[in-house]
Amino acid sequence: MALIEFTDKGLFCRAGNFYIDPWRPVDKAIITHAHSDHARWGSNAYLSHKYTVPLMQLRMGPQAYQGVEWGETIRINDVNVTLFPAGHMIGSSQIRVECKGEVWVISGDYKLEDDGISTAFEPVKCHTFISESTFGLPIYKWKPQQEIFLNIQDWVLRNKDAGKSSIILAYSLGKAQRVLSCLESVSDRILAHGAIYNSQEALKAAGWNLPAVERVSFDTPKEFLKGAVVIAPPSADASPWIRRFGTFSIGVCSGWMQVRGNMRRRNADAGFALSDHADWPGLLEAVKLTGAEKVFVTHGFQAAFSRYLNEIGIEAAEVKTEFGDEDEGPITAPIEEEKLTTDE
Ligand SMILES: [Zn+2]
Ligand SMILES: [Zn+2]
């Protein structure tokens, strides 16, 4: 029996009788991070990194949560469980599972670049690695965060000169906090949609030192919105919420913006390819750093990425899970996959 089994409820460790990021209610769930496709409601007990606990509380209310530190080993039956930073968002962790000398690492979502907010990704040696593959195609290759921040700042200043507000669409947990960190130097009026404001407040209450944002409400005077910077979740551009801003320009922050057609599809004025997931070189590097003999590839471009790994001599197989890519905004790129992964 494999140490981790792929079941209809999620990744299951029989020896420890726990699931990792289950998509159905279970008795004991170990959670990689607080995004809604990984931390789901209904289980009896949750174990995660301690930074993930207040974020789960915000989304799922009071439950039986246990928070642990990175590097702290928890023994469950015959199994040692240790969490290591995944660099994806605050609290995001890879789960190392060890039983009788056999080691598996479940990546959850991850990225290799240190964004200054999520604790930096730490490679963990293992026999078997379960990797995400959200951007597992060679066309996905990110610019350094600093360069993207300069582009965003430049765009905000140009909008301000033209008397327009800048509406930045970014996922409320993770991406929004990253983007906010580059805006203080170019604007003294940073506003946020309620969803982002609530995440920001929960993080601040948990002790995070994050920039102040003002919540956009029905009472916010129109004059105040002029030339302001507004952070909103990716779905906001399709809602009446956005009409109050008068003249504005929309910028979308998502890895999908790397593909030009996606910007047109989104009706965005500007696209910034800023992602909380590893790009193609990042995924490859992560796999190599684990030294794994066997890799299971989940959510994303599983077929393309696992085939490539097999070609370079790393045994890999694709596995179907129910994790999504909602944290990158509502664009998926099925068309690109078809077009770009056919044999050359
Ligand atoms: Zn995520
Ligand atoms: Zn995910």
Side-chain angles (χ1 to χ4, degrees):
M1 193 65 75
L3 184 52
I4 302 290
E5 296 165 44
F6 301 99
T7 74
D8 58 355
K9 289 182 184 156
L11 311 179
F12 178 53
C13 176
R14 191 172 297 275
N17 195 26
F18 60 80
Y19 286 81
I20 293 166
D21 293 354
W23 44 84
R24 300 231 181 90
V26 300
D27 197 39
K28 191 164 181 60
I30 298 180
I31 301 295
T32 59
H33 66 292
H35 283 151
S36 56
D37 55 331
H38 293 262
R40 300 194 194 214
W41 189 83
S43 290
N44 287 333
Y46 294 89
L47 185 143
S48 69
H49 186 266
K50 62 175 186 183
Y51 294 159
T52 300
V53 173
L55 298 172
M56 287 199 287
Q57 244 149 7
L58 172 71
R59 281 213 5 258
M60 309 195 292
Q63 307 281 340
Y65 300 115
Q66 183 187 355
V68 297
E69 306 274 354
W70 284 305
E72 173 189 351
T73 297
I74 306 292
R75 186 140 181 108
I76 306 172
N77 300 340
D78 281 338
V79 182
N80 288 324
V81 175
T82 318
L83 274 57
F84 292 91
H88 171 66
M89 63 168 285
I90 287 174
S92 67
S93 303
Q94 309 168 72
I95 317 288
R96 180 187 186 273
V97 178
E98 191 226 306
C99 184
K100 300 185 179 106
E102 188 186 346
V103 180
W104 287 53
V105 170
I106 295 89
S107 75
D109 292 342
Y110 66 94
K111 72 168 175 294
L112 272 65
E113 186 184 25
D114 182 359
D115 64 15
I117 296 178
S118 327
T119 305
F121 176 88
E122 202 180 312
V124 184
K125 293 273 171 216
C126 58
H127 300 106
T128 308
F129 184 50
I130 304 182
S131 177
E132 63 132 322
S133 61
T134 309
F135 291 103
L137 287 183
I139 47 158
Y140 293 106
K141 195 172 178 309
W142 314 139
K143 290 189 179 131
Q145 169 170 290
Q146 204 39 48
E147 207 177 316
I148 301 170
F149 279 0
L150 286 174
N151 292 342
I152 296 174
Q153 290 168 336
D154 192 55
W155 174 76
V156 167
L157 291 173
R158 272 187 284 127
N159 289 336
K160 204 149 83 176
D161 285 347
K164 293 190 225 168
S165 358
S166 303
I167 300 185
I168 300 176
L169 303 182
Y171 195 69
S172 58
L173 256 185
K175 199 79 61 68
Q177 287 75 41
R178 265 174 100 185
V179 175
L180 276 165
S181 71
C182 86
L183 295 172
E184 270 186 312
S185 60
V186 289
S187 179
D188 50 9
R189 248 181 306 150
I190 304 172
L191 294 110
H193 182 279
I196 288 164
Y197 179 84
N198 290 343
S199 303
Q200 195 80 352
E201 288 302 296
L203 287 166
K204 282 211 276 198
W208 291 86
N209 182 16
L210 296 169
V213 290
E214 239 174 287
R215 183 191 195 124
V216 177
S217 75
F218 280 107
D219 308 325
T220 314
K222 271 233 155 94
E223 262 317 293
F224 192 73
L225 300 175
K226 226 172 170 182
V229 178
V230 187
I231 318 257
S235 55
D237 62 338
S239 78
W241 181 88
I242 207 151
R243 287 192 208 126
R244 71 188 76 189
F245 296 101
T247 35
F248 57 79
S249 196
I250 296 181
V252 176
C253 289
S254 160
W256 302 121
M257 292 298 112
Q258 177 106 22
V259 176
R260 282 228 144 252
N262 283 339
M263 207 176 99
R264 280 196 303 274
R265 264 192 255 169
R266 277 309 303 257
N267 253 333
D269 302 302
F272 305 103
L274 183 73
S275 177
D276 286 326
H277 294 268
D279 58 4
W280 173 264
L283 290 169
L284 275 176
E285 196 189 332
V287 165
K288 287 176 184 166
L289 288 171
T290 64
E293 297 149 11
K294 170 98 201 201
V295 179
F296 289 103
V297 183
T298 70
H299 59 307
F301 293 111
Q302 302 100 280
F305 189 49
S306 59
R307 190 172 58 201
Y308 182 79
L309 290 176
N310 281 312
E311 275 167 21
I312 60 167
I314 299 170
E315 193 192 335
E318 39 177 320
V319 170
K320 238 187 136 33
T321 53
E322 291 187 16
F323 308 128
D325 62 353
E326 161 194 348
D327 53 9
E328 281 300 320
I331 299 164
T332 48
I335 302 164
E336 275 73 29
E337 176 166 41
E338 237 173 72
K339 214 166 52 200
L340 291 159
T341 61
T342 44
D343 290 306
E344 30 299 79

